[in-house]
Amino acid sequence: MGCAQWTHAAWHDRQPNPRERLRGYANWCNAVEGNTTFYAIPARATVESWARQTGPDFRFLPKLPRAVTHEQRLRGGDSELRAFLDAVEPLGSRLHALWVQLPASFGPTELGALWGLLRQLPQQYRTAVEVRHPAFFEDPRAEEQLEQLLGRAGAEWLPFDTTTLFAARPTSPGEREAWSKKPRVPRRARALTDHPVVRYCGRDDHNATVAGWRPWVETVTGWLREGRSPTIFIHTPDNAESLSLARRFHAEVAAGLPGLDALPEPAPTEPMTLF
């Protein structure tokens, strides 16, 4: 279980050491999206710090640089890809999967470029591919082609479920911004590998967020019963309460699977008293 980020202004009371915000986050969740690597390749020393702040079972999903996926559209960016792979190598077992997020304009006619990239990536890493072109969700032939390609590569199709976000008109500035930026595609809940990954985006209204994820609780419970090991990321438009919501999602799954491994127990944020 995780969120889109490991630090947020609303979480600072839960992350008292500003130099080790990731360590504080890892007391709440055991996975995190690696969005920052999309915008800039971190220094290797920075990634070594991430590894020191987390246990060996913590899951990172670093996103491939935009120079590779968006600017070169998988047909170049070899130096950036090599630099990225070198930078994230210190994560070791914590590198759960490489996240390939493709632009909404990347359609079925470009699948050859995707196949070329997946064959180029180191085999020791899992790969999760997020597509946003409507054809992959509306055209059965395009969907089948993508599934077959991912299957041959041993890669997962990473869905970003925004159906709850778009179920009603936005009611806040955060929701209006999310409406302008998030992809509007159908919910997809078919796993291709033993390690499915889901990104779920709710709303500012927590009740709506929780109601919208009910199908995912059922799906994730089913995956776990099949022996799969899913990773779920909870988003809201401002993400201020996504830490608590991620733990609530885990609790709902655990209610149907009493043997499910527990999340870390956060340290108390209130000072202890004698009385």
Side-chain angles (χ1 to χ4, degrees):
M1 286 303 313
C3 304
Q5 60 210 80
W6 65 69
T7 186
H8 193 291
W11 306 347
H12 287 178
D13 62 329
R14 306 168 184 175
Q15 302 168 302
N17 186 344
R19 291 177 175 239
E20 295 199 338
R21 290 267 160 80
L22 176 54
R23 190 185 302 278
Y25 169 90
N27 288 327
W28 288 77
C29 290
N30 55 11
V32 72
E33 293 182 1
N35 285 288
T36 58
T37 56
F38 178 74
Y39 299 100
I41 297 172
R44 190 178 174 96
T46 299
V47 180
E48 290 171 348
S49 170
W50 298 349
R52 287 195 300 270
Q53 294 182 58
T54 54
D57 295 330
F58 190 89
R59 297 181 177 185
F60 284 91
L61 270 83
K63 189 190 296 186
L64 262 63
R66 61 181 169 184
V68 176
T69 56
H70 286 57
E71 295 170 9
Q72 298 293 329
R73 301 180 74 87
L74 311 186
R75 294 180 176 85
D78 291 349
S79 60
E80 290 88 351
L81 181 59
R82 286 194 298 270
F84 165 79
L85 292 171
D86 180 69
V88 300
E89 192 263 343
L91 291 175
S93 63
R94 300 164 184 81
L95 202 168
H96 184 68
L98 300 173
W99 173 14
V100 183
Q101 184 186 82
L102 298 174
S105 59
F106 191 99
T109 61
E110 297 180 272
L111 286 179
L114 177 58
W115 175 245
L117 173 77
L118 295 178
R119 293 181 62 189
Q120 182 182 358
L121 294 175
Q123 293 301 301
Q124 70 264 33
Y125 297 135
R126 299 184 190 93
T127 307
V129 177
E130 180 185 343
V131 294
R132 298 184 170 191
H133 195 288
F136 293 120
F137 302 89
E138 299 170 0
D139 181 348
R141 184 168 180 271
E143 179 184 17
E144 181 180 6
Q145 288 176 332
L146 178 57
E147 283 198 358
Q148 289 179 350
L149 184 154
L150 296 175
R152 290 199 303 272
E156 186 56 81
W157 183 330
L158 191 164
F160 189 13
D161 181 7
T162 58
T163 55
T164 298
L165 172 67
F166 289 109
R169 298 291 301 176
T171 60
S172 69
E175 289 184 354
R176 283 191 285 274
E177 182 179 7
W179 263 50
S180 69
K181 294 181 177 180
K182 306 297 185 187
R184 189 186 298 218
V185 294
R187 179 186 288 121
R188 185 185 188 282
R190 174 177 162 83
L192 302 181
T193 72
D194 287 341
H195 295 84
V197 181
V198 174
R199 307 175 71 218
Y200 167 80
C201 186
R203 297 181 64 93
D204 288 336
D205 180 348
H206 294 174
N207 291 330
T209 297
V210 171
W213 76 34
R214 300 294 184 202
W216 283 116
V217 170
E218 181 177 345
T219 296
V220 170
T221 301
W223 284 341
L224 289 164
R225 286 179 175 150
E226 293 168 0
R228 302 180 197 262
S229 182
T231 306
I232 314 301
F233 295 109
I234 302 299
H235 296 232
T236 63
D238 66 7
N239 282 321
E241 295 302 322
S242 57
L243 268 182
S244 299
L245 287 166
R247 293 181 66 85
R248 179 170 176 177
F249 183 95
H250 183 277
E252 291 196 10
V253 174
L257 287 172
L260 184 65
D261 290 344
L263 288 175
E265 274 305 315
T269 56
E270 304 243 344
M272 295 182 65
T273 62
L274 294 176
F275 306 100

